[in-house]
Amino acid sequence: MNGIILNNSIFENIKHIDENDNEYWLARELQNVLEYKEWRKFNNVISDAIIACKSSGYEVEDHFSQVVKMVDIGLKTSRNITDYKLSRYACYLITQNGDARKKAIALAQTYFAVQTRKMEITEKEYSSLTEDEKRFIKEILLKK
């Protein structure tokens, strides 16, 4: 139980929300949490997750959005590095393709599986609402 509480806070702390209220995680932040020391090795896991995404019939760009950002490397020098904006599904696939011997991977697998299931239930319940009920919920959410 303690692992799950720790797990939730770790992944919630690195979660971002974009301008359209979509949640996402940055791959380089996730890399650290999942205890991958080298980007090269973590990028291999991402590549396997992208293959799984494609094979499942999903649009890769909807879940693995490549971004380039400038980072300082010292002495007034900077360079571009590649990163990814990852959907919850992308994170789930990454954890499924990660090194299962790592405790951080096991915790991440649990977190993303549970969160994905919660969203599935929420979406199913939402789709069963009448149009008036959906409109009411949207109005409430827009007021937040």
Side-chain angles (χ1 to χ4, degrees):
M1 186 65 150
N2 188 18
I4 293 174
I5 293 168
L6 175 66
N7 183 26
N8 285 341
S9 69
I10 288 172
F11 298 105
E12 289 297 316
N13 288 342
I14 64 167
K15 180 172 72 174
H16 301 272
I17 306 292
D18 69 14
E19 62 280 354
N20 297 315
D21 287 331
N22 297 312
E23 62 185 17
Y24 69 93
W25 289 260
L26 292 171
R28 289 190 182 263
E29 293 174 351
L30 187 63
Q31 170 194 351
N32 293 330
V33 170
L34 297 180
E35 300 172 356
Y36 280 86
K37 292 178 180 27
E38 296 178 37
W39 174 251
R40 177 183 55 83
K41 289 182 180 179
F42 190 63
N43 201 35
N44 289 338
V45 176
I46 293 171
S47 296
D48 290 342
I50 288 172
I51 291 168
C53 184
K54 254 186 228 177
S55 298
S56 298
Y58 290 96
E59 288 294 324
V60 171
E61 294 76 25
D62 291 345
H63 301 283
F64 298 83
S65 178
Q66 196 169 18
V67 294
V68 177
K69 56 187 179 182
M70 188 70 72
V71 295
D72 292 328
I73 57 174
L75 297 174
K76 299 181 185 178
T77 307
S78 57
R79 69 179 171 116
N80 287 328
I81 62 168
T82 301
D83 204 346
Y84 291 91
K85 280 177 67 174
L86 304 168
S87 70
R88 182 188 311 111
Y89 178 63
C91 293
Y92 174 77
L93 292 175
I94 287 168
T95 63
Q96 294 303 308
N97 285 281
D99 184 349
R101 294 170 295 188
K102 295 176 183 253
K103 183 176 181 180
I105 292 288
L107 293 172
Q109 288 171 341
T110 301
Y111 172 80
F112 287 108
V114 168
Q115 294 303 318
T116 299
R117 183 65 183 135
K118 281 182 184 177
M119 286 304 292
E120 287 171 349
I121 292 169
T122 302
E123 289 172 6
K124 184 178 179 181
E125 290 171 351
Y126 181 78
S127 65
S128 68
L129 297 175
T130 67
E131 289 305 313
D132 286 338
E133 291 169 326
K134 288 178 185 176
R135 193 170 23 263
F136 178 71
I137 288 174
K138 286 179 185 175
E139 288 173 13
I140 291 172
L141 291 175
L142 289 174
K143 290 179 183 178
K144 283 186 174 181

